[in-house]
Amino acid sequence: MSLVPVSKFSAKVMKNIKSIPSGKVATYKQIAELSGKPQGSRGVAWILHSSSTHYKLPWHRVLNSKGTISFEKGSRNYKEQKRRLEKEGVEFVGGQLDLAKFQWKKKISKPKTKKGTPKIFSGRA
DNA sequence: AGTATGACGTTTT
DNA sequence: AAAAACGCCATAC
């Protein structure tokens, strides 16, 4: 196990994970994408597996794409992760959380078009 | 260099 | 809907 980021990828992964704000979560895939490997979710998982607490990373804020904890339910780590998340305000519904609501978005993209605005069809078709 | 493993994800049964 | 198969990537041996 490597205790230091040996590759660029792992360094980015750690940095990105560190920047996840409290109360929000990210998915392995998301971290992989932010780190330049859209398909590298497994690599991300491996890195967390090998470094977890060593870097004071908010590892508990990383979930799989289903919005569930990736440990076996009932395992010690599962409980620990859930406890930490709930402490930050994340709500679990049946062992699952609402990604649409709690997933962290790095780029806050603002919708330009007001969707409620009815388009007046004044021209002649 | 080839094989194995893992806190994953997507597609196909 | 649930499980298996398949694909993917970083590291370990």
Side-chain angles (χ1 to χ4, degrees):
Chain A
M1 55 184 148
S2 60
L3 293 172
V4 296
V6 296
S7 66
K8 277 290 174 43
F9 180 69
S10 52
K12 285 185 184 176
V13 166
M14 293 181 186
K15 181 161 72 90
N16 284 321
I17 292 178
K18 275 190 232 170
S19 56
I20 304 174
S22 173
K24 290 286 180 183
V25 301
T27 65
Y28 295 91
K29 179 165 177 87
Q30 183 180 358
I31 297 298
E33 285 172 347
L34 291 176
S35 307
K37 313 281 177 179
Q39 313 302 110
S41 49
R42 282 193 98 156
V44 173
W46 198 95
I47 290 169
L48 255 60
H49 166 70
S50 67
S51 5
S52 64
T53 55
H54 305 287
Y55 288 94
K56 315 250 169 24
L57 299 175
W59 57 271
H60 54 282
R61 302 192 190 131
V62 185
L63 312 186
N64 59 35
S65 338
K66 291 175 298 210
T68 67
I69 290 176
S70 292
F71 287 108
E72 187 183 351
K73 183 167 183 179
S75 71
R76 190 185 166 288
N77 279 331
Y78 179 95
K79 292 192 221 160
E80 172 69 5
Q81 183 165 9
K82 186 173 177 220
R83 188 183 68 76
R84 289 187 181 223
L85 286 174
E86 288 180 333
K87 193 163 143 193
E88 295 182 351
V90 175
E91 310 163 11
F92 276 81
V93 183
Q96 195 171 243
L97 63 76
D98 188 352
L99 275 182
K101 196 169 170 133
F102 294 106
Q103 182 168 198
W104 169 56
K105 279 118 184 152
K106 186 171 191 175
K107 309 195 78 165
I108 305 147
S109 52
K110 220 159 186 205
K112 267 185 190 174
T113 56
K114 312 178 194 170
K115 59 178 175 168
T117 314
K119 203 180 255 181
I120 308 301
F121 199 33
S122 49
R124 152 208 332 221

mmCIF file of all heavy atoms in Angstrom, chain A residues 45-88:
data_model
loop_
_atom_site.group_PDB
_atom_site.id
_atom_site.type_symbol
_atom_site.label_atom_id
_atom_site.label_comp_id
_atom_site.label_asym_id
_atom_site.label_seq_id
_atom_site.Cartn_x
_atom_site.Cartn_y
_atom_site.Cartn_z
ATOM 1 N N ALA A 45 -11.756 4.001 -6.077
ATOM 2 C CA ALA A 45 -12.105 3.139 -4.947
ATOM 3 C C ALA A 45 -10.855 2.522 -4.349
ATOM 4 O O ALA A 45 -10.701 2.453 -3.132
ATOM 5 C CB ALA A 45 -13.062 2.046 -5.408
ATOM 6 N N TRP A 46 -9.982 2.101 -5.203
ATOM 7 C CA TRP A 46 -8.768 1.473 -4.704
ATOM 8 C C TRP A 46 -7.952 2.470 -3.875
ATOM 9 O O TRP A 46 -7.426 2.143 -2.820
ATOM 10 C CB TRP A 46 -7.918 0.947 -5.859
ATOM 11 C CG TRP A 46 -6.927 -0.043 -5.375
ATOM 12 C CD1 TRP A 46 -7.075 -1.397 -5.369
ATOM 13 C CD2 TRP A 46 -5.679 0.242 -4.770
ATOM 14 N NE1 TRP A 46 -5.982 -1.968 -4.782
ATOM 15 C CE2 TRP A 46 -5.103 -0.993 -4.406
ATOM 16 C CE3 TRP A 46 -4.975 1.409 -4.486
ATOM 17 C CZ2 TRP A 46 -3.855 -1.085 -3.789
ATOM 18 C CZ3 TRP A 46 -3.743 1.310 -3.850
ATOM 19 C CH2 TRP A 46 -3.191 0.075 -3.519
ATOM 20 N N ILE A 47 -7.839 3.671 -4.382
ATOM 21 C CA ILE A 47 -7.058 4.684 -3.680
ATOM 22 C C ILE A 47 -7.642 4.946 -2.296
ATOM 23 O O ILE A 47 -6.916 5.042 -1.309
ATOM 24 C CB ILE A 47 -7.006 5.980 -4.503
ATOM 25 C CG1 ILE A 47 -6.138 5.748 -5.742
ATOM 26 C CG2 ILE A 47 -6.436 7.121 -3.678
ATOM 27 C CD1 ILE A 47 -6.232 6.856 -6.753
ATOM 28 N N LEU A 48 -8.948 5.042 -2.236
ATOM 29 C CA LEU A 48 -9.560 5.264 -0.931
ATOM 30 C C LEU A 48 -9.321 4.064 -0.032
ATOM 31 O O LEU A 48 -9.039 4.197 1.148
ATOM 32 C CB LEU A 48 -11.062 5.499 -1.093
ATOM 33 C CG LEU A 48 -11.431 6.958 -0.912
ATOM 34 C CD1 LEU A 48 -10.724 7.784 -1.937
ATOM 35 C CD2 LEU A 48 -12.918 7.135 -1.036
ATOM 36 N N HIS A 49 -9.433 2.916 -0.618
ATOM 37 C CA HIS A 49 -9.228 1.696 0.146
ATOM 38 C C HIS A 49 -7.845 1.704 0.786
ATOM 39 O O HIS A 49 -7.676 1.302 1.922
ATOM 40 C CB HIS A 49 -9.374 0.490 -0.774
ATOM 41 C CG HIS A 49 -8.858 -0.764 -0.181
ATOM 42 N ND1 HIS A 49 -9.490 -1.392 0.872
ATOM 43 C CD2 HIS A 49 -7.761 -1.494 -0.464
ATOM 44 C CE1 HIS A 49 -8.794 -2.478 1.185
ATOM 45 N NE2 HIS A 49 -7.751 -2.559 0.396
ATOM 46 N N SER A 50 -6.862 2.170 0.031
ATOM 47 C CA SER A 50 -5.499 2.106 0.532
ATOM 48 C C SER A 50 -5.109 3.304 1.372
ATOM 49 O O SER A 50 -4.160 3.229 2.135
ATOM 50 C CB SER A 50 -4.522 1.942 -0.628
ATOM 51 O OG SER A 50 -4.521 3.091 -1.425
ATOM 52 N N SER A 51 -5.792 4.419 1.240
ATOM 53 C CA SER A 51 -5.380 5.568 2.052
ATOM 54 C C SER A 51 -6.384 6.038 3.088
ATOM 55 O O SER A 51 -6.005 6.654 4.054
ATOM 56 C CB SER A 51 -5.047 6.766 1.181
ATOM 57 O OG SER A 51 -5.296 6.556 -0.151
ATOM 58 N N SER A 52 -7.627 5.767 2.851
ATOM 59 C CA SER A 52 -8.717 6.199 3.720
ATOM 60 C C SER A 52 -8.390 7.291 4.719
ATOM 61 O O SER A 52 -8.385 8.461 4.397
ATOM 62 C CB SER A 52 -9.310 5.009 4.438
ATOM 63 O OG SER A 52 -8.352 4.442 5.282
ATOM 64 N N THR A 53 -8.113 6.946 5.902
ATOM 65 C CA THR A 53 -7.988 7.952 6.963
ATOM 66 C C THR A 53 -6.628 8.636 7.014
ATOM 67 O O THR A 53 -6.467 9.644 7.684
ATOM 68 C CB THR A 53 -8.223 7.293 8.315
ATOM 69 O OG1 THR A 53 -7.334 6.198 8.454
ATOM 70 C CG2 THR A 53 -9.646 6.795 8.423
ATOM 71 N N HIS A 54 -5.693 8.089 6.297
ATOM 72 C CA HIS A 54 -4.331 8.612 6.411
ATOM 73 C C HIS A 54 -4.186 10.075 6.027
ATOM 74 O O HIS A 54 -3.299 10.750 6.493
ATOM 75 C CB HIS A 54 -3.389 7.779 5.560
ATOM 76 C CG HIS A 54 -3.451 6.334 5.901
ATOM 77 N ND1 HIS A 54 -2.916 5.829 7.067
ATOM 78 C CD2 HIS A 54 -4.020 5.293 5.278
ATOM 79 C CE1 HIS A 54 -3.153 4.525 7.113
ATOM 80 N NE2 HIS A 54 -3.814 4.175 6.049
ATOM 81 N N TYR A 55 -5.032 10.518 5.140
ATOM 82 C CA TYR A 55 -4.876 11.901 4.693
ATOM 83 C C TYR A 55 -5.976 12.813 5.188
ATOM 84 O O TYR A 55 -6.209 13.868 4.660
ATOM 85 C CB TYR A 55 -4.833 11.946 3.173
ATOM 86 C CG TYR A 55 -3.561 11.394 2.644
ATOM 87 C CD1 TYR A 55 -3.467 10.063 2.274
ATOM 88 C CD2 TYR A 55 -2.435 12.206 2.552
ATOM 89 C CE1 TYR A 55 -2.273 9.547 1.811
ATOM 90 C CE2 TYR A 55 -1.243 11.699 2.094
ATOM 91 C CZ TYR A 55 -1.161 10.364 1.724
ATOM 92 O OH TYR A 55 0.010 9.867 1.277
ATOM 93 N N LYS A 56 -6.713 12.390 6.159
ATOM 94 C CA LYS A 56 -7.810 13.187 6.661
ATOM 95 C C LYS A 56 -8.789 13.504 5.540
ATOM 96 O O LYS A 56 -9.271 14.603 5.425
ATOM 97 C CB LYS A 56 -7.286 14.505 7.246
ATOM 98 C CG LYS A 56 -6.076 14.334 8.135
ATOM 99 C CD LYS A 56 -6.467 14.591 9.541
ATOM 100 C CE LYS A 56 -5.450 14.216 10.587
ATOM 101 N NZ LYS A 56 -4.095 14.131 10.273
ATOM 102 N N LEU A 57 -8.988 12.564 4.699
ATOM 103 C CA LEU A 57 -9.926 12.760 3.612
ATOM 104 C C LEU A 57 -11.347 12.516 4.108
ATOM 105 O O LEU A 57 -11.559 11.649 4.939
ATOM 106 C CB LEU A 57 -9.637 11.770 2.483
ATOM 107 C CG LEU A 57 -8.271 11.844 1.822
ATOM 108 C CD1 LEU A 57 -8.134 10.713 0.825
ATOM 109 C CD2 LEU A 57 -8.100 13.172 1.127
ATOM 110 N N PRO A 58 -12.277 13.295 3.590
ATOM 111 C CA PRO A 58 -13.691 13.044 3.926
ATOM 112 C C PRO A 58 -14.195 11.841 3.132
ATOM 113 O O PRO A 58 -15.107 11.969 2.326
ATOM 114 C CB PRO A 58 -14.382 14.338 3.508
ATOM 115 C CG PRO A 58 -13.510 14.928 2.458
ATOM 116 C CD PRO A 58 -12.110 14.475 2.747
ATOM 117 N N TRP A 59 -13.620 10.712 3.369
ATOM 118 C CA TRP A 59 -13.934 9.501 2.599
ATOM 119 C C TRP A 59 -15.409 9.131 2.693
ATOM 120 O O TRP A 59 -15.957 8.515 1.806
ATOM 121 C CB TRP A 59 -13.082 8.355 3.105
ATOM 122 C CG TRP A 59 -13.256 8.113 4.569
ATOM 123 C CD1 TRP A 59 -12.544 8.708 5.576
ATOM 124 C CD2 TRP A 59 -14.196 7.238 5.182
ATOM 125 N NE1 TRP A 59 -13.006 8.243 6.787
ATOM 126 C CE2 TRP A 59 -14.010 7.337 6.573
ATOM 127 C CE3 TRP A 59 -15.182 6.360 4.694
ATOM 128 C CZ2 TRP A 59 -14.785 6.617 7.483
ATOM 129 C CZ3 TRP A 59 -15.947 5.643 5.590
ATOM 130 C CH2 TRP A 59 -15.743 5.769 6.973
ATOM 131 N N HIS A 60 -16.036 9.526 3.774
ATOM 132 C CA HIS A 60 -17.438 9.137 3.952
ATOM 133 C C HIS A 60 -18.356 9.856 2.980
ATOM 134 O O HIS A 60 -19.513 9.503 2.846
ATOM 135 C CB HIS A 60 -17.859 9.431 5.377
ATOM 136 C CG HIS A 60 -17.608 10.833 5.810
ATOM 137 N ND1 HIS A 60 -16.357 11.284 6.184
ATOM 138 C CD2 HIS A 60 -18.430 11.885 5.908
ATOM 139 C CE1 HIS A 60 -16.460 12.556 6.500
ATOM 140 N NE2 HIS A 60 -17.696 12.957 6.341
ATOM 141 N N ARG A 61 -17.839 10.895 2.327
ATOM 142 C CA ARG A 61 -18.697 11.634 1.388
ATOM 143 C C ARG A 61 -18.640 11.053 -0.013
ATOM 144 O O ARG A 61 -19.119 11.672 -0.952
ATOM 145 C CB ARG A 61 -18.284 13.101 1.354
ATOM 146 C CG ARG A 61 -18.361 13.750 2.721
ATOM 147 C CD ARG A 61 -18.238 15.263 2.662
ATOM 148 N NE ARG A 61 -18.094 15.781 4.017
ATOM 149 C CZ ARG A 61 -17.147 16.649 4.382
ATOM 150 N NH1 ARG A 61 -16.294 17.099 3.502
ATOM 151 N NH2 ARG A 61 -17.079 17.056 5.618
ATOM 152 N N VAL A 62 -18.032 9.931 -0.158
ATOM 153 C CA VAL A 62 -17.960 9.305 -1.468
ATOM 154 C C VAL A 62 -18.827 8.051 -1.502
ATOM 155 O O VAL A 62 -18.623 7.128 -0.714
ATOM 156 C CB VAL A 62 -16.510 8.930 -1.812
ATOM 157 C CG1 VAL A 62 -16.439 8.399 -3.226
ATOM 158 C CG2 VAL A 62 -15.610 10.140 -1.653
ATOM 159 N N LEU A 63 -19.791 8.063 -2.394
ATOM 160 C CA LEU A 63 -20.708 6.934 -2.520
ATOM 161 C C LEU A 63 -20.694 6.402 -3.936
ATOM 162 O O LEU A 63 -20.118 6.999 -4.827
ATOM 163 C CB LEU A 63 -22.137 7.376 -2.190
ATOM 164 C CG LEU A 63 -22.384 8.192 -0.924
ATOM 165 C CD1 LEU A 63 -23.869 8.364 -0.742
ATOM 166 C CD2 LEU A 63 -21.785 7.526 0.277
ATOM 167 N N ASN A 64 -21.360 5.296 -4.141
ATOM 168 C CA ASN A 64 -21.466 4.764 -5.504
ATOM 169 C C ASN A 64 -22.615 5.454 -6.243
ATOM 170 O O ASN A 64 -23.333 6.253 -5.660
ATOM 171 C CB ASN A 64 -21.659 3.246 -5.460
ATOM 172 C CG ASN A 64 -22.895 2.866 -4.690
ATOM 173 O OD1 ASN A 64 -23.896 3.562 -4.723
ATOM 174 N ND2 ASN A 64 -22.826 1.767 -4.000
ATOM 175 N N SER A 65 -22.768 5.129 -7.497
ATOM 176 C CA SER A 65 -23.748 5.844 -8.322
ATOM 177 C C SER A 65 -25.186 5.670 -7.906
ATOM 178 O O SER A 65 -26.017 6.453 -8.310
ATOM 179 C CB SER A 65 -23.701 5.416 -9.771
ATOM 180 O OG SER A 65 -22.578 4.872 -10.097
ATOM 181 N N LYS A 66 -25.456 4.629 -7.160
ATOM 182 C CA LYS A 66 -26.839 4.433 -6.750
ATOM 183 C C LYS A 66 -27.194 5.331 -5.577
ATOM 184 O O LYS A 66 -28.338 5.420 -5.176
ATOM 185 C CB LYS A 66 -27.054 2.973 -6.348
ATOM 186 C CG LYS A 66 -26.978 2.047 -7.519
ATOM 187 C CD LYS A 66 -27.081 0.597 -7.061
ATOM 188 C CE LYS A 66 -25.927 0.224 -6.153
ATOM 189 N NZ LYS A 66 -25.558 -1.208 -6.249
ATOM 190 N N GLY A 67 -26.200 5.960 -5.023
ATOM 191 C CA GLY A 67 -26.461 6.782 -3.852
ATOM 192 C C GLY A 67 -26.520 5.951 -2.589
ATOM 193 O O GLY A 67 -27.167 6.327 -1.616
ATOM 194 N N THR A 68 -25.830 4.846 -2.608
ATOM 195 C CA THR A 68 -25.797 4.006 -1.418
ATOM 196 C C THR A 68 -24.354 3.828 -0.962
ATOM 197 O O THR A 68 -23.415 4.091 -1.710
ATOM 198 C CB THR A 68 -26.399 2.619 -1.703
ATOM 199 O OG1 THR A 68 -25.543 1.927 -2.624
ATOM 200 C CG2 THR A 68 -27.783 2.729 -2.289
ATOM 201 N N ILE A 69 -24.219 3.376 0.261
ATOM 202 C CA ILE A 69 -22.883 3.147 0.802
ATOM 203 C C ILE A 69 -22.343 1.842 0.244
ATOM 204 O O ILE A 69 -23.058 0.852 0.173
ATOM 205 C CB ILE A 69 -22.959 3.106 2.340
ATOM 206 C CG1 ILE A 69 -23.272 4.509 2.856
ATOM 207 C CG2 ILE A 69 -21.658 2.593 2.921
ATOM 208 C CD1 ILE A 69 -23.460 4.583 4.349
ATOM 209 N N SER A 70 -21.098 1.875 -0.128
ATOM 210 C CA SER A 70 -20.534 0.726 -0.817
ATOM 211 C C SER A 70 -19.971 -0.353 0.088
ATOM 212 O O SER A 70 -19.288 -1.238 -0.380
ATOM 213 C CB SER A 70 -19.437 1.186 -1.771
ATOM 214 O OG SER A 70 -19.990 1.919 -2.820
ATOM 215 N N PHE A 71 -20.254 -0.263 1.357
ATOM 216 C CA PHE A 71 -19.815 -1.329 2.244
ATOM 217 C C PHE A 71 -20.982 -2.283 2.457
ATOM 218 O O PHE A 71 -22.128 -1.937 2.207
ATOM 219 C CB PHE A 71 -19.391 -0.761 3.601
ATOM 220 C CG PHE A 71 -18.091 -0.024 3.556
ATOM 221 C CD1 PHE A 71 -18.057 1.355 3.664
ATOM 222 C CD2 PHE A 71 -16.899 -0.721 3.413
ATOM 223 C CE1 PHE A 71 -16.851 2.043 3.633
ATOM 224 C CE2 PHE A 71 -15.692 -0.038 3.385
ATOM 225 C CZ PHE A 71 -15.671 1.340 3.494
ATOM 226 N N GLU A 72 -20.669 -3.413 2.957
ATOM 227 C CA GLU A 72 -21.727 -4.362 3.246
ATOM 228 C C GLU A 72 -22.565 -3.795 4.376
ATOM 229 O O GLU A 72 -22.042 -3.328 5.388
ATOM 230 C CB GLU A 72 -21.113 -5.696 3.653
ATOM 231 C CG GLU A 72 -22.147 -6.782 3.803
ATOM 232 C CD GLU A 72 -21.501 -8.074 4.269
ATOM 233 O OE1 GLU A 72 -20.264 -8.121 4.297
ATOM 234 O OE2 GLU A 72 -22.230 -8.998 4.598
ATOM 235 N N LYS A 73 -23.856 -3.843 4.198
ATOM 236 C CA LYS A 73 -24.743 -3.280 5.205
ATOM 237 C C LYS A 73 -24.559 -3.996 6.533
ATOM 238 O O LYS A 73 -24.558 -5.213 6.592
ATOM 239 C CB LYS A 73 -26.192 -3.402 4.757
ATOM 240 C CG LYS A 73 -27.112 -2.765 5.730
ATOM 241 C CD LYS A 73 -28.502 -2.595 5.162
ATOM 242 C CE LYS A 73 -29.336 -1.861 6.196
ATOM 243 N NZ LYS A 73 -30.686 -1.625 5.712
ATOM 244 N N GLY A 74 -24.370 -3.215 7.563
ATOM 245 C CA GLY A 74 -24.174 -3.805 8.874
ATOM 246 C C GLY A 74 -22.714 -3.886 9.268
ATOM 247 O O GLY A 74 -22.396 -4.037 10.436
ATOM 248 N N SER A 75 -21.845 -3.749 8.284
ATOM 249 C CA SER A 75 -20.427 -3.797 8.609
ATOM 250 C C SER A 75 -20.043 -2.549 9.408
ATOM 251 O O SER A 75 -20.761 -1.561 9.432
ATOM 252 C CB SER A 75 -19.597 -3.871 7.332
ATOM 253 O OG SER A 75 -19.633 -2.638 6.656
ATOM 254 N N ARG A 76 -18.931 -2.648 10.054
ATOM 255 C CA ARG A 76 -18.497 -1.543 10.899
ATOM 256 C C ARG A 76 -18.316 -0.272 10.085
ATOM 257 O O ARG A 76 -18.748 0.800 10.473
ATOM 258 C CB ARG A 76 -17.177 -1.936 11.569
ATOM 259 C CG ARG A 76 -16.800 -0.966 12.637
ATOM 260 C CD ARG A 76 -15.426 -1.315 13.202
ATOM 261 N NE ARG A 76 -14.928 -0.194 13.979
ATOM 262 C CZ ARG A 76 -14.504 0.937 13.422
ATOM 263 N NH1 ARG A 76 -14.523 1.056 12.126
ATOM 264 N NH2 ARG A 76 -14.071 1.915 14.186
ATOM 265 N N ASN A 77 -17.691 -0.409 8.955
ATOM 266 C CA ASN A 77 -17.457 0.761 8.116
ATOM 267 C C ASN A 77 -18.765 1.357 7.611
ATOM 268 O O ASN A 77 -18.890 2.573 7.492
ATOM 269 C CB ASN A 77 -16.574 0.380 6.927
ATOM 270 C CG ASN A 77 -15.122 0.338 7.319
ATOM 271 O OD1 ASN A 77 -14.691 1.052 8.222
ATOM 272 N ND2 ASN A 77 -14.353 -0.497 6.659
ATOM 273 N N TYR A 78 -19.693 0.495 7.316
ATOM 274 C CA TYR A 78 -20.988 0.988 6.841
ATOM 275 C C TYR A 78 -21.609 1.904 7.887
ATOM 276 O O TYR A 78 -22.030 3.024 7.604
ATOM 277 C CB TYR A 78 -21.915 -0.206 6.573
ATOM 278 C CG TYR A 78 -23.287 0.217 6.100
ATOM 279 C CD1 TYR A 78 -23.573 0.278 4.742
ATOM 280 C CD2 TYR A 78 -24.291 0.559 7.019
ATOM 281 C CE1 TYR A 78 -24.826 0.666 4.309
ATOM 282 C CE2 TYR A 78 -25.543 0.947 6.584
ATOM 283 C CZ TYR A 78 -25.806 1.005 5.224
ATOM 284 O OH TYR A 78 -27.038 1.400 4.791
ATOM 285 N N LYS A 79 -21.640 1.423 9.094
ATOM 286 C CA LYS A 79 -22.249 2.228 10.158
ATOM 287 C C LYS A 79 -21.494 3.525 10.384
ATOM 288 O O LYS A 79 -22.090 4.572 10.571
ATOM 289 C CB LYS A 79 -22.252 1.421 11.451
ATOM 290 C CG LYS A 79 -23.178 0.233 11.386
ATOM 291 C CD LYS A 79 -23.349 -0.351 12.775
ATOM 292 C CE LYS A 79 -23.341 -1.861 12.732
ATOM 293 N NZ LYS A 79 -23.056 -2.491 13.989
ATOM 294 N N GLU A 80 -20.200 3.417 10.338
ATOM 295 C CA GLU A 80 -19.373 4.607 10.562
ATOM 296 C C GLU A 80 -19.656 5.659 9.496
ATOM 297 O O GLU A 80 -19.846 6.834 9.787
ATOM 298 C CB GLU A 80 -17.894 4.191 10.532
ATOM 299 C CG GLU A 80 -16.929 5.352 10.568
ATOM 300 C CD GLU A 80 -16.937 6.066 11.915
ATOM 301 O OE1 GLU A 80 -17.632 5.590 12.833
ATOM 302 O OE2 GLU A 80 -16.248 7.094 12.035
ATOM 303 N N GLN A 81 -19.711 5.221 8.251
ATOM 304 C CA GLN A 81 -19.949 6.161 7.167
ATOM 305 C C GLN A 81 -21.331 6.793 7.285
ATOM 306 O O GLN A 81 -21.485 8.003 7.128
ATOM 307 C CB GLN A 81 -19.804 5.434 5.822
ATOM 308 C CG GLN A 81 -19.962 6.366 4.640
ATOM 309 C CD GLN A 81 -19.471 5.747 3.343
ATOM 310 O OE1 GLN A 81 -19.170 4.571 3.280
ATOM 311 N NE2 GLN A 81 -19.390 6.547 2.307
ATOM 312 N N LYS A 82 -22.311 5.970 7.564
ATOM 313 C CA LYS A 82 -23.669 6.500 7.669
ATOM 314 C C LYS A 82 -23.765 7.491 8.819
ATOM 315 O O LYS A 82 -24.365 8.553 8.698
ATOM 316 C CB LYS A 82 -24.639 5.346 7.886
ATOM 317 C CG LYS A 82 -26.066 5.815 7.866
ATOM 318 C CD LYS A 82 -27.034 4.640 7.921
ATOM 319 C CE LYS A 82 -28.450 5.176 7.977
ATOM 320 N NZ LYS A 82 -29.291 4.412 8.879
ATOM 321 N N ARG A 83 -23.136 7.147 9.903
ATOM 322 C CA ARG A 83 -23.181 8.027 11.069
ATOM 323 C C ARG A 83 -22.587 9.388 10.735
ATOM 324 O O ARG A 83 -23.163 10.435 11.018
ATOM 325 C CB ARG A 83 -22.384 7.395 12.212
ATOM 326 C CG ARG A 83 -22.526 8.127 13.515
ATOM 327 C CD ARG A 83 -21.654 7.497 14.589
ATOM 328 N NE ARG A 83 -20.234 7.692 14.322
ATOM 329 C CZ ARG A 83 -19.595 8.853 14.512
ATOM 330 N NH1 ARG A 83 -20.252 9.897 14.946
ATOM 331 N NH2 ARG A 83 -18.316 8.962 14.259
ATOM 332 N N ARG A 84 -21.441 9.359 10.089
ATOM 333 C CA ARG A 84 -20.791 10.623 9.734
ATOM 334 C C ARG A 84 -21.647 11.454 8.797
ATOM 335 O O ARG A 84 -21.751 12.670 8.947
ATOM 336 C CB ARG A 84 -19.460 10.343 9.051
ATOM 337 C CG ARG A 84 -18.412 9.810 10.002
ATOM 338 C CD ARG A 84 -17.100 9.738 9.269
ATOM 339 N NE ARG A 84 -16.026 9.207 10.099
ATOM 340 C CZ ARG A 84 -14.802 9.733 10.110
ATOM 341 N NH1 ARG A 84 -14.534 10.775 9.368
ATOM 342 N NH2 ARG A 84 -13.861 9.214 10.856
ATOM 343 N N LEU A 85 -22.256 10.799 7.826
ATOM 344 C CA LEU A 85 -23.060 11.542 6.862
ATOM 345 C C LEU A 85 -24.288 12.153 7.518
ATOM 346 O O LEU A 85 -24.619 13.315 7.280
ATOM 347 C CB LEU A 85 -23.482 10.616 5.719
ATOM 348 C CG LEU A 85 -22.355 10.272 4.754
ATOM 349 C CD1 LEU A 85 -22.817 9.234 3.752
ATOM 350 C CD2 LEU A 85 -21.879 11.514 4.020
ATOM 351 N N GLU A 86 -24.941 11.381 8.342
ATOM 352 C CA GLU A 86 -26.146 11.905 8.988
ATOM 353 C C GLU A 86 -25.796 13.073 9.888
ATOM 354 O O GLU A 86 -26.550 14.022 10.027
ATOM 355 C CB GLU A 86 -26.828 10.791 9.767
ATOM 356 C CG GLU A 86 -27.480 9.793 8.834
ATOM 357 C CD GLU A 86 -28.157 8.666 9.585
ATOM 358 O OE1 GLU A 86 -27.716 8.358 10.710
ATOM 359 O OE2 GLU A 86 -29.122 8.108 9.044
ATOM 360 N N LYS A 87 -24.633 12.986 10.457
ATOM 361 C CA LYS A 87 -24.180 14.072 11.316
ATOM 362 C C LYS A 87 -24.015 15.353 10.507
ATOM 363 O O LYS A 87 -24.150 16.450 11.031
ATOM 364 C CB LYS A 87 -22.836 13.674 11.930
ATOM 365 C CG LYS A 87 -22.406 14.542 13.051
ATOM 366 C CD LYS A 87 -21.320 13.812 13.827
ATOM 367 C CE LYS A 87 -20.276 14.768 14.319
ATOM 368 N NZ LYS A 87 -19.081 14.049 14.785
ATOM 369 N N GLU A 88 -23.763 15.207 9.231
ATOM 370 C CA GLU A 88 -23.591 16.377 8.366
ATOM 371 C C GLU A 88 -24.906 16.797 7.720
ATOM 372 O O GLU A 88 -24.926 17.688 6.884
ATOM 373 C CB GLU A 88 -22.554 16.079 7.285
ATOM 374 C CG GLU A 88 -21.171 15.854 7.870
ATOM 375 C CD GLU A 88 -20.139 15.614 6.777
ATOM 376 O OE1 GLU A 88 -20.533 15.459 5.611
ATOM 377 O OE2 GLU A 88 -18.947 15.590 7.109
#
